[in-house]
Amino acid sequence: MCETRFTEWGLDRPFDLTGLVEHLSRRRNRLIHLVPAPMGAARPSGIWLRLPAMDVVVYEADTSRTHQEHIIAHELAHILCGHSTTAPVADADSRLIFPDLDPQLVRDMLLRADYDNGHELEAEVMASAILQRMNARPPEPAAMDGSPETREVLDRLERSFYIGGGGAG
């Protein structure tokens, strides 16, 4: 399912979140804005707002970068999967995101209904695939010389320069 979606959207090469947002914006002819905000533990950690002129992905500002990337990937996955609604906005969340607007006006403007569990599961699986593709290690280049000495030198260099590779050996 995920690979099919990547193919449908023309995402056949490695990307980062910025590249994914730009690609989706171009393909859909709609801007996507990423907005960090302190969402708080009692609120959702992310939300996709489909506004008339653009999409806004609001994500938790007060968490790790890894968690932020997961939240953003999850919300973008809703777009990739063709979901068209998001969870209702509570008054407190509405004031957090749109402090100068009446919460009822925000709800009316967004005309939203709940995602079902199937959509959430699909978005979660797709988000995992997005992150896996983002963090995929490029394939090892073929050695110019297949000799054991060359392979040993290349292996040591790789371990020395690869983060988490254990350092020089």
Side-chain angles (χ1 to χ4, degrees):
M1 168 194 73
C2 296
E3 287 305 316
T4 301
R5 297 253 191 237
F6 288 138
T7 301
E8 289 169 355
W9 283 92
L11 292 164
D12 54 354
R13 61 184 182 279
F15 53 81
D16 59 14
L17 280 179
T18 301
L20 179 58
V21 167
E22 290 170 356
H23 182 85
L24 291 176
S25 292
R26 275 192 312 276
R27 286 288 303 259
R28 296 172 67 238
N29 200 27
R30 287 177 59 83
L31 290 177
I32 299 173
H33 291 284
L34 302 181
V35 179
M39 306 286 280
R43 295 184 181 95
S45 55
I47 190 166
W48 165 39
L49 304 169
R50 183 176 168 89
L51 304 176
M54 74 185 82
D55 292 301
V56 177
V57 172
V58 182
Y59 62 94
E60 177 59 62
D62 298 327
T63 191
S64 70
R65 179 179 175 164
T66 301
H67 188 212
Q68 288 175 344
E69 288 177 349
H70 182 85
I71 296 164
I72 294 166
H74 177 94
E75 299 306 327
L76 294 176
H78 283 299
I79 295 171
L80 281 164
C81 293
H83 302 162
S84 59
T85 60
T86 59
V89 177
D91 285 0
D93 296 331
S94 174
R95 285 191 186 96
L96 177 70
I97 300 165
F98 302 105
D100 299 327
L101 296 179
D102 174 47
Q104 184 60 46
L105 174 64
V106 172
R107 275 192 298 281
D108 291 344
M109 179 180 69
L110 297 175
L111 301 171
R112 292 136 60 68
D114 285 326
Y115 275 133
D116 63 25
N117 287 338
H119 281 174
E120 285 303 315
L121 177 60
E122 185 178 28
E124 200 58 28
V125 169
M126 191 69 195
S128 294
I130 289 168
L131 294 171
Q132 181 180 17
R133 187 169 278 215
M134 280 177 39
N135 296 314
R137 196 168 161 202
E140 290 188 29
M144 288 190 267
D145 173 353
S147 71
E149 294 83 14
T150 300
R151 186 71 247 156
E152 181 183 344
V153 169
L154 290 174
D155 286 344
R156 285 198 343 238
L157 284 169
E158 182 180 9
R159 285 193 309 272
S160 296
F161 291 109
Y162 178 66
I163 296 173

